[in-house]
Amino acid sequence: MVLQEDRAKPGRFIFYEVFASQADFDAHNATAYVQEWFAKLPELAEGGVEVMRMAILDVPRK
């Protein structure tokens, strides 16, 4: 998981995770602790929560 804070809007946070497959993503989201966290988000996040699915366009070369 990566946590970032918007420099232009302090207090606005962006979390993201990268999963190897859709099945891994689905299994993660089905766990009890993630479901509990999802249920608490509306009361913890002022202004709501936006969920986006994104794609990796390029992988850095070593």
Side-chain angles (χ1 to χ4, degrees):
M1 177 181 283
V2 176
L3 168 62
Q4 297 179 321
E5 184 174 17
D6 186 337
R7 289 182 181 178
K9 297 179 183 178
R12 179 179 186 219
F13 297 97
I14 299 168
F15 297 87
Y16 68 90
E17 293 181 88
V18 177
F19 293 89
S21 68
Q22 183 66 43
D24 289 344
F25 174 76
D26 294 340
H28 171 74
N29 287 341
T31 61
Y33 67 91
V34 172
Q35 291 296 312
E36 290 172 20
W37 185 67
F38 285 160
K40 291 178 183 177
L41 280 176
E43 67 188 58
L44 297 173
E46 183 179 308
V49 175
E50 180 180 353
V51 177
M52 295 180 290
R53 290 190 60 200
M54 302 175 81
I56 297 173
L57 300 178
D58 192 13
V59 177
R61 301 177 203 279
K62 293 183 181 183

